[in-house]
Amino acid sequence: MDDVTSDSETDSTEEIDAHALITTLYSDQRKTKSEEGKGVKTKQEYALLVNDLEKQFVKKKMKNYEKAITVEAKHKRQTQQEMNELQRDMKYQVNEEKADTESKIAMKKDAIQSSDESIQLYKDEQKSLQEKLQKLNEKQQDLAMK
């Protein structure tokens, strides 16, 4: 037991992807209770289980991108409203104030463009994840047929 814990302490310093983490459990079968139907699974059953886990992971990432798109769209609308207000107020300003307001408007336009780019990036990632999910579904069907 001491050898196992000392190895795990050195491994913890390395960055390990939680999705790819594999755990091995050791036990004394004389002291371990077993349940009916909880025996060793076949290679196909494990492959299906791993496939399901990957699908859940992809779906979770897709939901996160959807939330990010919503937040970015809200930020874009808010920035657009602020820019419109600045443009309306500009006709009542003197030349010095107009120059300052024009620079603020330019910054707002840049922020809107940045939001558009972020939204497009998130949509592209979602599209990629959708393709991944489709491939995982095909893989699941192939594994089920074996």
Side-chain angles (χ1 to χ4, degrees):
M1 184 70 177
D2 293 333
D3 294 335
V4 173
T5 57
S6 65
D7 288 343
S8 66
E9 290 172 5
T10 57
D11 290 342
S12 66
T13 58
E14 299 176 12
E15 187 175 329
I16 299 174
D17 184 11
H19 186 62
L21 184 64
I22 298 174
T23 304
T24 304
L25 299 176
Y26 298 97
S27 68
D28 186 355
Q29 290 185 357
R30 295 172 290 168
K31 296 180 182 178
T32 305
K33 295 179 184 177
S34 63
E35 295 181 25
E36 294 292 324
K38 296 283 184 180
V40 176
K41 295 181 181 181
T42 64
K43 185 176 180 181
Q44 179 184 7
E45 290 172 327
Y46 279 117
L48 287 169
L49 179 66
V50 168
N51 194 50
D52 283 340
L53 291 173
E54 286 183 37
K55 283 173 50 177
Q56 289 174 5
F57 182 72
V58 168
K59 287 178 182 179
K60 184 177 178 181
K61 281 181 84 172
M62 287 177 66
K63 286 181 183 180
N64 288 340
Y65 279 124
E66 189 64 39
K67 288 177 185 177
I69 288 172
T70 304
V71 167
E72 199 65 41
K74 182 179 178 181
H75 181 260
K76 178 185 168 185
R77 282 192 306 272
Q78 182 181 4
T79 306
Q80 183 70 40
Q81 289 175 349
E82 291 171 3
M83 187 179 76
N84 291 341
E85 288 176 19
L86 288 172
Q87 288 174 339
R88 277 186 247 123
D89 292 342
M90 202 164 95
K91 69 179 178 179
Y92 303 112
Q93 295 175 345
V94 295
N95 288 337
E96 295 167 358
E97 293 173 327
K98 283 184 180 182
D100 184 45
T101 303
E102 286 174 352
S103 69
K104 288 180 183 178
I105 289 172
M107 289 190 322
K108 298 288 183 190
K109 284 182 181 178
D110 290 342
I112 289 171
Q113 184 179 1
S114 175
S115 291
D116 284 338
E117 291 170 359
S118 295
I119 289 171
Q120 187 60 42
L121 178 68
Y122 294 146
K123 286 182 179 181
D124 291 345
E125 288 293 325
Q126 265 190 324
K127 188 175 181 180
S128 173
L129 288 173
Q130 186 65 35
E131 291 174 11
K132 172 92 173 160
L133 189 61
Q134 186 178 12
K135 294 294 181 184
L136 287 171
N137 285 333
E138 289 175 15
K139 183 178 179 181
Q140 183 177 11
Q141 289 175 354
D142 290 346
L143 288 171
M145 288 183 181
K146 286 185 179 181

